[in-house]
Amino acid sequence: MKKYQLYTILALILMTIGFSIPVIAYHGVVNKIKNNTQIPSYVYPIYNFYTKFQYKNHLIPTEIKNDLAKMIDARVEIGVPSLPVWYVSLEAPNYPKEAFPDGIPVYFHVDGYSGDVHEMNTINHYIGMYPMEYGGNVERAIAPYYLLIATIFMLLYLYYNGKGNFLLLIPTIIAPILFMSAFVGWLYWYGHNMQEWGAFKIKPFMPTALGDGKVAQFTTHSYPAIGFWVMITMSALSILAIFSKNRYLKGNS
């Protein structure tokens, strides 16, 4: 196996396991749960496996928090199973430190949210911000198709040696940049579309995208989660694959 093939395959494995399988398998399931319609049987083991080590609200009973079927029956908050890409939490004075030592946690995924979204939306309403579900709907809708295209391009890259072959890895290389651009855009939109329903008025603002910040009397935290580091690794492997393939093709020309 050539080095560029190894780099490409490793990046493809990371993307497939971390994003493609859970995103494609779970596509449209959130709406099916809301509408109480039948869910394909393969969704349950995928969700249970991927979320076993992800955060779930401390109030969800232990006996059901790792079983999607039981969670649906109990009508608890259900997120998406793909790797979380960004972590945001908000420390509210009325929430006990014992229950939320790092604040109210919410995780941003390429295809949705997980964590205490309901609690975050309660505070959003209090300060006049839209619920989280209002942001990034277009980006999240196209995520499964982006992953499929990126997968096909990576497979083609393994065998296509013609001119411009490096372009096939561009979707994978720019994945973390695209996410951050979208994430910052969502935050800007939220902070510049304040509504009258808030308990008090806040001037339009830009929420902190990375690091610690303040919103009214609340302290916010915003940091990369495991999915972002997987994206960075995928991008780095793809760049290495391009350089390696260029050297290989030059040596055989």
Side-chain angles (χ1 to χ4, degrees):
M1 183 181 292
K2 310 296 187 298
K3 282 187 178 181
Y4 75 84
Q5 293 175 326
L6 177 62
Y7 294 142
T8 305
I9 290 172
L10 287 175
L12 179 58
I13 290 173
L14 286 176
M15 185 175 71
T16 301
I17 295 176
F19 301 104
S20 300
I21 290 175
V23 168
I24 294 172
Y26 207 69
H27 184 54
V29 172
V30 171
N31 289 330
K32 289 182 179 180
I33 293 175
K34 289 180 180 178
N35 298 326
N36 199 29
T37 55
Q38 187 174 3
I39 298 171
S41 58
Y42 61 80
V43 171
Y44 295 95
I46 290 175
Y47 182 92
N48 294 343
F49 173 77
Y50 274 89
T51 63
K52 187 169 293 185
F53 303 103
Q54 293 186 22
Y55 171 84
K56 296 187 183 74
N57 189 286
H58 65 287
L59 295 176
I60 300 176
T62 304
E63 62 271 18
I64 73 169
K65 66 168 48 180
N66 293 319
D67 190 321
L68 178 59
K70 292 180 180 179
M71 291 177 70
I72 293 173
D73 290 340
R75 298 183 179 277
V76 300
E77 188 167 357
I78 299 172
V80 294
S82 61
L83 291 183
V85 184
W86 210 262
Y87 163 79
V88 173
S89 69
L90 191 150
E91 292 185 48
N94 294 334
Y95 286 82
K97 273 283 187 180
E98 297 76 20
F100 301 97
D102 299 313
I104 300 165
V106 169
Y107 294 87
F108 288 71
H109 302 245
V110 296
D111 60 330
Y113 305 96
S114 67
D116 293 331
V117 178
H118 177 76
E119 295 288 355
M120 186 69 79
N121 283 343
T122 299
I123 294 178
N124 283 357
H125 186 87
Y126 179 72
I127 63 176
M129 292 179 71
Y130 275 108
M132 291 185 61
E133 294 83 355
Y134 273 67
N137 290 322
V138 174
E139 294 89 340
R140 300 185 190 287
I142 65 176
Y145 308 102
Y146 185 91
L147 290 166
L148 279 174
I149 291 171
T151 298
I152 294 171
F153 281 7
M154 293 173 81
L155 292 173
L156 288 174
Y157 184 77
L158 292 172
Y159 305 102
Y160 175 67
N161 297 332
K163 188 176 181 180
N165 60 77
F166 70 93
L167 294 173
L168 294 171
L169 293 187
I170 294 300
T172 310
I173 291 173
I174 66 174
I177 298 173
L178 285 178
F179 177 85
M180 279 306 299
S181 299
F183 177 66
V184 171
W186 301 334
L187 294 184
Y188 181 88
W189 183 87
Y190 281 121
H192 287 76
N193 285 274
M194 308 301 291
Q195 300 300 305
E196 295 297 328
W197 62 59
F200 52 90
K201 290 187 178 181
I202 299 179
K203 293 180 180 179
F205 71 105
M206 177 62 200
T208 303
L210 175 62
D212 302 325
K214 294 284 290 185
V215 178
Q217 72 266 41
F218 307 114
T219 300
T220 62
H221 309 284
S222 182
Y223 291 95
I226 184 172
F228 186 76
W229 301 119
V230 171
M231 282 186 181
I232 292 291
T233 305
M234 288 161 40
S235 180
L237 287 169
S238 298
I239 293 172
L240 287 173
I242 290 174
F243 283 112
S244 178
K245 188 167 189 175
N246 285 343
R247 286 197 299 269
Y248 171 76
L249 293 177
K250 287 179 181 179
N252 287 273
S253 60

